């Protein structure tokens, strides 16, 4: 790129461009002709030498400070010498900058002189940058005067190459403080700026052009970037100067600046440049005015920008408004009008377009607006000036465009209506049309006077209609706009005006848009009162526009809409007359095989459906037949033109069947016979495989949403509740995105790759050959839909075209024996069609929809109570297909695997578990358990749902599970390595352990399998927790749970929003759950078999620390403690003994720490009766001990103690101390080593408080769970908590959950419920086993006082603090998780009756109720967990399950227990892990040991010893010898024999 011409700038750097007052003969100028002085001379010129009387420094610089300043200056000058390297000089500049405040002002001149080569035009770019850096540093000096500022200004403006221009502009901004301070170079700066705008702009444009060339190199790119920054900076500085110092600019510079800026606006394509230029125009207008010679260009440019550049239109419009408010407003207004009616430029020109927009705005302005207002009358006369008839085509196009814009201005509309000169209006428009296209020469006879009343359609023209096809597209657009505006004011026109404008409409009808053709039809309808027989006229319209071949499809649709929507008097008789005269003949004469537009057929379907509701019964069936014909026509169009209608036209593809669905919904509450007929038609649509899937889907959507209540009344649910399964087959919006990626990659893949997705395990019975056969049979369908997008998604279009009735139908019922077929629906017909679709290959869209939505419908077993054979067949078909692998293989391009289909089928199968088991043989039940078991290892993603299904089977068909329990446990042990299933396996085992009827036949080795599973998961949990403690990244727990293809998650109700938090807490939950399961199962074993398992369990409880040593963690210790207490005992819990009697003598009490237990011995000294209390981590044992003392023989000689006792009374006699009993039960004379010695606890208040605190820890883990009844149509917290009663089914649920207990005087932990005053009710329900206890908070059992507690705070205080709530949802509405807002509610277990119990109108009872085979009460319920968004799925009911009432409570309790365990883990995640009750008790024991051990050391680490004995730390080696049947230290046998040390002294007698 050639160097830009900086001649003017170079000249400007001398005094030539300076005012005389600004010129100076400064002796320190940069370019001294005599040459550059030496460094010593520059230093001397500072006059800083010591001893010079004329150079005495000021008082502030005496002494050492003066020397420091001198050193700074010398150092700076030394670093800046020209002989130094560029890097060293850069250091000098930085040095100056960092010490600028300490530099004397007169020293700066020397510094500048030292670096004067950096300010020369021929200096290198790096050197110039050094100079600018020095200038920036110098500007920080607070003492700069005018002379110094002028000198710096001269340094800055020395010409520089393009790459340095932006630095130069930045320096100018710095020295002027962004244009605010121009002293003393104001005029010089203005001259500089005006001289630089144009050349800098040209240089920037050239640089950009070079940048776009193929030879652009790094220099070119850098130059383009620099010049762009320089131009923007130059424009912003100019704007700032104009705003801050408008007086500094004279007329010449102003002309130059405005001219150059407008040139930029006209030529540049950069919006940043344009914005900078517009800012200058704004500043010029605000400070002065636009020069007259530039005003015309300025107005045109501003107008063009205001309508063509969105980001700048506000700035341009603001400039125009300010011009119109200035003294030049008359000139500006004239320029705008002239431009709007330009005879040389058309309305597409931005200048003309902008002028028109401004003219229209000025017509709109108010009277008191500061802008000038254009008189409407004057503008109207200008528009309709007949002298312009021979104007140019451009003029008339401008005329049409402006006239259309004005027709939306209220003041102009009022004026044109007032003038009422419509013949002139129409004539001017025809003039415009004629000159736009020479071929359009309409005869004037087209305009007729207002006609008399006709009897048929009028003919609006006499001659042949001119050809309008050659009009310019823009002209057609303007005419459409005008016609649209005239249509808006049509109602306000006179009748004669109507006729004149209507003729214009008819003249232009072929070029009008669909919307404006509506105006034409509306015009005919407005004139309808002129016709004698309106229905006949509509029939003629139908014949002309609908039945005539080749008619414009848009016009046909408009006429069709007019027929359906316009009725003068909407009475039933008028509707039926319209139907008979117009609608039915039109539909009967349609040639369906020739129709090829979906939208039009949909319109006909909508019309037919709207009239079907009022048709006579014999016509209704005829209309249904016509709708079937329309469905076939639509399907034919989709097959012939599959790509013509994309996924955005779904409504166009299925509106015919949607019409049937809409009819069904509307007839459901009005006509039973019609509903039954439509139901049959919908099944026929689904059955007709020749119909396109998009036509069958709406019918399928309705049929899968059919439900019935307990009285068999049919209703339609708006929510299919199938989002989770939809994700499994890639039918969610998230999976749709992944699907597009998969399809792109799939086009390059082999379409014959194995897509079965099966993973055969050792117990699998799936046939590979059958899978391959299924794959081959589906190949044709795969190829057919390869390029088609999914036709249904979640969330997508609404499942139903309108909201269904809110209540069950009082007219339409499910078919039951004895009920009339005409008014009932046979659901067995629908179920038979479902079975057929599963058995024979169907379109994937249809098949996948059935897969996803069938389980939801099956959750309403009352709906199919009379279709028992079909239910059995459905279950057997699914079992057979899963067993043989013969179910449908997904198309290749969907990304869905065959295992995903299996996943859906298993969900259906598990839903069928809830159906009456008496309908199935034991062999069928066994097959069901077998196939669920096989699914664990047969298909990806199915293992989890199968394990959960087995948990349901344990409750529903326990006998079949018992037969397969051994293979089930073996399968569980085989999948231990799949750690993502750990939670499900352990939850299954936890539930199984509480069902003894299932596991009663297990042998010893089979039970050990359960313990092995627990131990393996404990090891995994320890590993994961170790990784978290060490900062390692935890792998996702579902890493092995392959989401095949694009299926993603199975769609649980809640997904974690913080995956790391969930991963961090899952190991804690698995850890706690594994110990929980191990404990339950140990206690579930027969007493005689428990000792056989102790050794194996104990050997696997230990873990290894970082040094590789075996250690027992706290939970292992309490588990061992539990086995220690229960391995030989199954009597249950003990209670404290009754007190002593006076005859027993004085009572002495003493306690010891014996290992990890507290032993308390309370002995009656008279007869030795002893109460023993042994407190351990897992429980407390109370026992009695009494020595069977023999009477003294006659020959026994009494000793001194015997004599003393004989002299004392029975109450004061002392025969035994507790120490004796403790010694007798715990030791012999064998030496006891120090680590094993007991610790005698002092009998003081501190010890008593410690033991009392220990006893306050429950011996079981206690949990609280809310059980909430939600009544009919209750949705808010207040409505629900106001309940003080509930239904029989809810009462049965409570009885199944636990036992009803009285609160007053309760001796167990009531979890916050009042035990004294019945403030929380008199009773509640609770449940307890050997290790856990659940107290249920039941609000409907609590007192309800709406007056004193309208917000039910007392009830909320319990429910709001429960981690887990069981919701009995009898409302008939979906239950929302946030109904009870609380930070502690983590899990809701929602139990919902499968059908509503009460009818909304109990007075109307359908006749089918009498033949109802089921009793009139709720028998079946769905159960589903709702979790906090941050929770993972921790329940087999994460997706809803169906169960009979007798099994719901047990499953709900088990889910609540597991959820409570996890919630405790989750709630303590911030402060540490959750500590169970047993571990708390263990810690209390260790605290006591720590307190009473010798030397103040922790008893968990050290053990007490006698004087001179050694204290041991855990892990130390003990060296001793076996002596007297005991163990003694080698150097301390005597101390080991002194049992009195740890047996303690006798209790005090006082």
């Amino acid at each position: 790129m050639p160097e830009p011409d900086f001649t003017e700038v170079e000249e400007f750097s001398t005094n030539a461009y300076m005012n005389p007052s600004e010129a100076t003969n400064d002796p320190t100028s940069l370019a001294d002709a005599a040459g550059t002085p030496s460094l010593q001379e520059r230093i001397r010129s500072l006059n800083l030498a010591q001893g010079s009387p004329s150079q005495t420094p000021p008082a502030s610089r005496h002494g050492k400070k003066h020397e420091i300043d001198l050193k700074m200056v010398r150092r700076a000058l030394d670093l800046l010498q020209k002989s130094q390297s560029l890097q060293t000089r850069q250091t000098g500049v930085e040095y100056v900058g960092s010490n600028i405040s300490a530099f004397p002002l007169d020293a700066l001149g020397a510094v500048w002189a030292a670096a004067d080569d950096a300010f020369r035009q021929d200096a290198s770019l790096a050197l110039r940058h050094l100079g600018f850096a020095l200038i920036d540093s110098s500007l920080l000096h607070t003492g700069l005067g005018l002379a110094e500022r002028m000198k710096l200004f001269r340094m800055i403006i020395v010409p520089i190459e393009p790459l340095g221009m932006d630095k130069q502009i930045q320096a100018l901004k710095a020295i002027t403080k962004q244009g605010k301070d121009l002293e003393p170079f104001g005029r010089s700066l203005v001259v500089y700026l005006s001289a630089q705008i144009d050349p800098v702009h040209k240089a920037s444009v050239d640089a950009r052009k070079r940048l776009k060339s193929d030879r652009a190199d790094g220099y070119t790119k850098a130059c383009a970037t620099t010049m762009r920054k320089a131009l923007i900076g130059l424009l912003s500085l100019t704007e700032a100067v104009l705003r801050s110092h408008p007086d500094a600019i004279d007329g010449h510079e102003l002309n130059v600046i405005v001219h150059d800026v407008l040139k930029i606006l006209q030529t540049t394509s950069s919006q940043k440049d344009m914005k900078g230029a517009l800012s200058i125009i704004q500043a010029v207008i605000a400070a002065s005015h636009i020069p007259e010679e530039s005003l015309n260009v300025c107005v045109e440019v501003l107008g063009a920008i205001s309508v063509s550049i969105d980001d700048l239109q506000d700035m341009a419009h603001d400039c125009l408004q300010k011009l119109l408010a200035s003294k030049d407003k008359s000139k500006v207004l004239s320029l705008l009008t002239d431009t709007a009616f330009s005879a040389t430029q058309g309305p597409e020109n931005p200048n003309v377009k902008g002028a028109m927009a401004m003219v229209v705005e000025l017509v709109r302005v108010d009277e008191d607006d500061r802008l000038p207002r254009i008189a409407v009358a004057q503008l109207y006369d200008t528009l309709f000036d007949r002298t312009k008839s021979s104007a140019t085509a451009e003029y008339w196009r401008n005329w049409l465009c402006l006239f259309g814009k004005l027709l939306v201005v209220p003041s102009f509309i009022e004026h044109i209506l007032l003038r009422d000169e419509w013949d002139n209006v129409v004539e001017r428009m025809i003039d415009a049309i004629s000159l736009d296209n020479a071929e359009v020469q309409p005869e004037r006879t087209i305009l007729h006077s207002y006609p008399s009343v006709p009897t048929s359609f009028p003919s609006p023209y006499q001659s042949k209609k001119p050809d309008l096809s050659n009009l310019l597209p823009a002209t057609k657009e303007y005419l459409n706009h005008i016609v649209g505006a005239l249509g808006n004011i049509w109602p306000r026109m006179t009748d004669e005006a109507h006729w004149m404008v209507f003729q214009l409409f008819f003249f232009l009808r072929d070029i009008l848009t669909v919307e404006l053709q509506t105006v034409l039809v509306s015009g005919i309808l407005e004139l309808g009162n002129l016709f004698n027989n309106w229905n006949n006229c509509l029939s003629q319209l139908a014949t002309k526009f609908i039945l005539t071949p080749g008619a414009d499809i848009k016009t046909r649709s408009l006429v069709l809409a007019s027929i359906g929507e316009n009725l003068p008097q909407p009475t039933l008789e008028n509707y039926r007359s319209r139907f008979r005269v117009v609608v039915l003949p039109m539909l009967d004469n349609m040639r369906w095989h020739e129709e090829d537009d979906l939208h039009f057929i949909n319109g006909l379907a909508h019309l037919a459906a709207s009239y079907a509701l009022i048709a006579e019964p014999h016509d209704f069936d005829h209309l249904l037949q016509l709708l079937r014909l329309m469905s076939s026509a639509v399907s034919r169009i989709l097959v012939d033109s599959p790509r013509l209608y994309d996924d955005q036209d779904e409504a166009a593809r299925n509106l015919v069947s949607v019409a049937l669905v809409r009819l069904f919904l509307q007839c459901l509450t009005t006509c039973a016979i019609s509903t039954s007929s439509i139901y049959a038609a919908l099944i026929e649509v689904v059955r007709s495989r020749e119909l396109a899937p998009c036509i069958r889907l709406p019918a399928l959507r309705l049929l899968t949403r059919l439900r019935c209540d307990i009285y068999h009344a049919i209703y339609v649910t708006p929510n299919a509740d199938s989002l989770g399964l939809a994700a499994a087959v890639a039918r969610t919006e998230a999976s749709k995105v992944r699907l597009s990626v998969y399809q792109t990659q799939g086009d390059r893949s082999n379409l014959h790759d194995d897509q079965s997705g099966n993973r055969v395990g050792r117990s699998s019975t799936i046939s590979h050959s059958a899978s391959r056969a299924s794959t081959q049979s589906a190949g044709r369908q795969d190829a057919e839909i390869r390029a088609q997008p999914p036709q249904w998604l979640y969330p997508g279009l609404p499942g139903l075209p309108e909201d269904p009735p809110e209540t069950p139908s009082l007219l339409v019922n499910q078919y039951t024996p004895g009920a009339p077929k005409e008014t009932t629906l046979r659901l067995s017909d629908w179920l038979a069609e479902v079975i057929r679709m599963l058995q024979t290959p169907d379109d994937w869209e249809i098949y996948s929809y059935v897969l996803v939505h069938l389980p939801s419908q099956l959750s309403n077993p009352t709906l199919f109570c009379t279709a028992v054979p079909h239910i059995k067949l459905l279950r057997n078909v699914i079992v057979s297909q899963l067993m043989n692998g013969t179910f449908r293989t997904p198309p290749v391009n969907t990304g869905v695997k065959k295992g995903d289909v299996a996943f859906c089928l298993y969900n259906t199968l598990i839903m069928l578990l809830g159906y009456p088991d008496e309908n199935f043989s034991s062999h069928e039940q066994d097959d069901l358990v077998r196939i669920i078991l096989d699914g664990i290892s047969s298909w990806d993603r199915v293992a989890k749902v199968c394990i959960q299904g087995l948990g349901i089977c344990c409750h529903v068909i326990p006998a079949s599970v018992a037969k397969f329990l051994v293979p089930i446990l073996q399968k569980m042990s085989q999948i231990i390595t799949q750690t993502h299933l750990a939670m499900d396996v352990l939850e299954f085992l936890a539930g199984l352990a509480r069902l003894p009827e299932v596991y009663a036949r297990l042998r010893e080795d089979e039970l050990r399998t359960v313990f092995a599973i627990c131990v393996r998961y404990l090891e995994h949990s320890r590993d994961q927790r170790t990784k978290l403690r060490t900062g390692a990244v935890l792998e996702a727990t579902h890493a092995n749970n392959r989401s095949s293809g694009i299926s993603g998650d199975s769609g649980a109700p809640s997904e974690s929003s913080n995956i790391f938090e969930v991963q961090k807490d899952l190991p804690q939950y698995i850890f706690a759950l594994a110990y929980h399961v191990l404990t339950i199962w140990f206690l579930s074993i027969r007493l005689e078999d428990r000792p056989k398992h102790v050794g194996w369990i104990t050997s696997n409880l230990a873990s290894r620390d970082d040094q590789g040593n075996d250690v027992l963690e706290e939970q292992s210790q309490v588990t061992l403690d539990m086995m220690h207490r229960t391995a030989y005992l199954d009597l249950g819990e003990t209670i404290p003994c009754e007190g002593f009697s006076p005859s027993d003598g004085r009572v002495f009490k003493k306690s010891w720490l014996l290992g990890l237990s507290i032993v308390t011995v309370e002995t009656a000294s008279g007869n030795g009766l002893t109460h023993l209390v042994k407190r351990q981590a897992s429980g407390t044992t109370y026992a009695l001990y009494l020595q069977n003392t023999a009477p003294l023989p006659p020959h026994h000689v009494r000793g001194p103690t015997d004599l003393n006792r004989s002299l004392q009374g029975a109450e004061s006699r002392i025969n035994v101390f507790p120490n004796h009993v403790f010694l007798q039960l715990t030791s012999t004379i064998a030496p006891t080593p120090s680590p094993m010695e007991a610790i005698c606890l002092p009998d003081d208040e501190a010890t008593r408080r410690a033991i009392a605190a220990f006893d306050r820890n429950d011996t079981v883990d206690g949990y609280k769970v809310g059980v909430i009844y939600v009544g009919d149509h209750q949705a808010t917290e207040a409505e629900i908590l106001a309940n003080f009663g509930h239904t029989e089914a809810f009462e049965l649920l409570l009885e199944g959950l636990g036992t009803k207990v009285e609160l007053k005087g309760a001796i167990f932990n009531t979890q916050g419920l009042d035990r004294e005053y019945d403030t929380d009710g008199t009773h509640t329900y609770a449940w307890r086993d050997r290790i856990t206890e659940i107290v249920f908070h039941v609000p409907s059992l609590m007192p309800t006082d709406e007056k004193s507690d309208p917000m039910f705070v007392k009830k909320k205080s319990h429910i709001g603090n429960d981690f887990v709530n069981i919701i009995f949802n009898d409302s008939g509405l979906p239950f929302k998780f946030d109904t009870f807002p609380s930070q502690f509610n983590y899990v809701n277990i929602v139990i919902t009756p499968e059908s509503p119990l009460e009818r909304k109108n109990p007075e109307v009872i359908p006749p089918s109720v009498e033949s109802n085979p089921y009793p009139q009460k709720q028998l079946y319920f769905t159960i589903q967990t709702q979790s906090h968004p941050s929770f993972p799925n921790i329940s087999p009911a994460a997706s809803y399950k169906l169960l009979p009432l007798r099994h719901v409570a047990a499953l709900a309790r088990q889910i609540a227990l597991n959820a409570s365990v996890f919630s405790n883990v989750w709630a303590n995640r911030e402060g540490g892990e959750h500590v169970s009750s047993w571990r708390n008790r263990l810690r209390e024991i260790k605290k006591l040991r720590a307190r009473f051990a010798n030397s103040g050391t922790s008893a968990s680490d050290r053990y007490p010893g006698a004087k001179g004995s050694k204290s041991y730390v855990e892990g130390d080696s003990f060296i001793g010898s076996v002596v007297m049947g005991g163990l003694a230290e080698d150097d301390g046998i005597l101390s080991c024999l002194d049992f009195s040390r740890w047996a303690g002294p006798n209790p005090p007698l006082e």
Side-chain angles (χ1 to χ4, degrees), residues 1059-1166:
I1059 293 179
F1060 179 77
E1061 287 296 324
V1062 174
Q1063 291 174 347
K1064 183 178 67 175
D1065 292 302
L1066 274 179
Q1068 295 285 353
Y1069 175 55
I1070 294 172
F1071 177 78
L1073 193 58
Y1075 275 112
H1076 180 77
V1077 172
L1078 191 150
T1079 302
I1080 297 175
W1081 275 93
F1082 184 82
L1083 295 175
S1084 301
I1085 303 173
R1086 292 189 300 271
L1087 183 64
E1088 56 269 27
D1089 293 333
R1090 290 179 191 171
K1092 302 175 184 178
H1093 298 278
V1094 171
W1096 189 91
I1097 295 174
T1098 303
S1099 64
N1100 287 278
L1101 284 178
S1103 59
R1104 293 187 179 274
D1105 59 15
D1106 297 337
Q1107 287 75 38
N1109 300 319
D1110 289 332
V1111 295
L1112 280 180
E1113 54 202 356
E1114 277 188 353
Q1115 192 64 47
S1116 296
Q1117 294 177 37
V1118 298
T1119 302
L1120 188 61
D1121 185 84
M1122 177 273 301
M1123 293 191 296
H1124 186 272
R1125 292 184 61 249
T1126 60
Y1128 302 97
L1129 173 71
D1130 210 11
L1131 291 175
E1133 298 186 15
T1134 59
I1135 58 175
C1137 306
E1138 296 181 358
F1140 296 92
S1141 66
S1143 62
D1144 294 331
R1146 294 182 61 182
V1147 178
F1148 296 97
K1149 185 176 183 180
K1150 202 168 187 63
S1151 297
W1152 288 266
L1153 286 172
L1154 182 61
L1156 291 178
S1157 68
I1158 305 172
V1159 177
T1160 300
V1161 180
E1162 192 174 7
T1163 302
S1165 60

Side-chain angles (χ1 to χ4, degrees), residues 1208-1233:
Q1208 297 173 345
E1211 294 81 3
S1212 59
R1213 190 183 311 150
I1214 301 176
N1215 293 325
V1216 62
F1217 283 109
N1219 312 56
H1220 166 77
V1221 177
F1222 182 75
L1223 284 174
Q1224 291 299 310
L1225 294 178
T1226 62
S1227 69
T1228 67
I1229 65 169
T1232 302

Side-chain angles (χ1 to χ4, degrees), residues 378-418:
Q378 179 184 351
L379 187 60
Y380 179 88
D381 293 337
T382 303
L383 279 171
F384 297 103
D385 184 2
R386 292 182 179 273
T387 62
K388 297 289 188 179
S389 299
S390 60
T392 64
E394 286 77 9
Y395 171 86
W396 284 115
R397 278 201 298 275
N398 292 337
W399 188 96
L400 287 173
C401 182
L402 182 58
F403 181 53
K405 293 178 181 296
L406 291 171
L407 279 176
V408 297
V409 179
S411 59
F412 188 82
I413 293 173
E414 296 298 331
H415 188 79
I416 197 171
L417 289 172
L418 180 65

Side-chain angles (χ1 to χ4, degrees), residues 359-659:
V359 168
V360 174
E361 181 177 347
L362 294 177
V363 175
R364 291 177 180 270
V365 298
D366 299 328
E367 294 287 350
D368 56 349
D369 198 286
R370 62 187 181 88
L371 299 178
R373 186 170 183 267
I374 297 179
V376 174
Q378 179 184 351
L379 187 60
Y380 179 88
D381 293 337
T382 303
L383 279 171
F384 297 103
D385 184 2
R386 292 182 179 273
T387 62
K388 297 289 188 179
S389 299
S390 60
T392 64
E394 286 77 9
Y395 171 86
W396 284 115
R397 278 201 298 275
N398 292 337
W399 188 96
L400 287 173
C401 182
L402 182 58
F403 181 53
K405 293 178 181 296
L406 291 171
L407 279 176
V408 297
V409 179
S411 59
F412 188 82
I413 293 173
E414 296 298 331
H415 188 79
I416 197 171
L417 289 172
L418 180 65
R419 297 284 283 264
D420 198 22
E421 298 173 348
W422 293 102
D423 55 344
N424 190 24
V425 172
V426 174
E427 186 174 352
R428 291 300 91 194
M429 291 185 62
I430 293 176
D431 288 338
I433 297 170
S434 301
L435 289 172
D436 182 72
N437 186 347
E439 296 187 18
V440 182
Q441 296 294 340
E443 299 181 13
R444 298 302 177 185
T445 55
I446 193 172
L447 299 176
H448 300 287
S449 60
Y450 188 63
S452 59
V453 178
T455 58
S456 61
F457 290 118
S459 177
Y461 50 87
Q462 300 295 332
S463 61
K464 181 180 179 182
K465 183 178 181 296
D467 183 12
L468 301 178
S469 59
N470 292 325
L471 284 176
L472 294 177
T475 304
K476 293 181 181 180
E477 180 182 351
Y478 306 146
L479 289 171
N480 273 276
H481 186 73
I482 292 173
V483 171
L486 291 175
N488 292 333
I489 63 175
W490 177 275
R492 302 181 61 188
M493 295 181 185
T494 62
D495 289 343
E496 185 172 0
H498 281 158
W499 186 248
M500 298 297 297
V501 176
F502 175 69
Q503 293 179 81
L504 177 66
F505 290 168
F506 225 86
F507 168 62
L508 300 174
R509 67 180 182 274
D510 287 344
I511 66 169
L512 298 182
T513 62
V514 173
E515 292 78 9
L516 293 179
Q517 289 194 31
T518 305
V519 177
L520 175 60
V521 175
S522 299
I524 296 176
L525 298 177
E526 288 289 338
L527 298 175
N529 58 340
L530 303 178
F531 306 116
N532 296 327
N533 192 324
W534 182 233
N535 280 341
N536 288 339
C537 293
L538 284 178
S539 181
Q540 293 182 48
L541 273 175
T543 302
K544 183 174 182 61
F545 289 100
I546 296 179
L547 299 179
T548 301
D552 181 70
I553 187 60
K554 296 178 181 178
T555 306
R556 300 175 76 198
S557 300
L558 291 172
V559 174
L560 182 62
S562 300
I563 293 175
E565 296 175 2
N566 294 279
L567 197 66
Q569 295 180 354
T571 63
L572 178 61
E573 184 56 37
N574 285 341
Y575 271 113
R576 287 180 174 174
S577 174
R578 173 75 60 84
F579 174 72
R580 288 190 299 269
V581 175
V582 182
V583 178
L584 194 57
M586 178 185 67
L587 294 176
D588 283 337
N589 288 282
M590 291 295 300
R591 287 175 283 192
W592 300 108
H593 61 282
E594 296 182 4
E595 293 298 332
D596 58 358
D597 187 273
L598 290 186
H599 298 281
F600 183 66
I601 297 179
N602 289 336
L604 291 171
H606 177 75
L607 182 66
S610 62
Y611 278 98
L613 295 174
I614 53 92
E616 298 289 348
H618 62 276
D619 290 329
F620 185 83
D621 292 336
H622 184 56
L623 283 174
L624 289 182
Q625 181 62 33
L626 288 172
L627 286 172
R628 293 190 185 101
L629 292 175
M630 296 180 202
S631 297
S632 299
V634 170
S635 182
R636 173 182 50 79
I637 294 171
L638 293 175
V639 171
D640 293 343
S641 307
R643 298 184 181 274
L644 186 59
Y645 301 93
D646 57 16
D647 57 349
Q648 296 180 351
D649 290 321
E650 181 176 349
R653 296 198 304 263
N654 60 27
L655 194 58
V656 176
S657 50
V658 166

Side-chain angles (χ1 to χ4, degrees), residues 1186-1208:
L1186 180 62
Q1187 177 177 314
N1188 192 12
T1189 305
L1192 294 176
H1195 57 278
H1196 179 83
V1197 178
R1198 295 179 179 270
T1201 57
D1202 298 328
L1203 182 61
N1204 291 336
R1205 282 196 301 272
S1206 64
L1207 298 177
Q1208 297 173 345

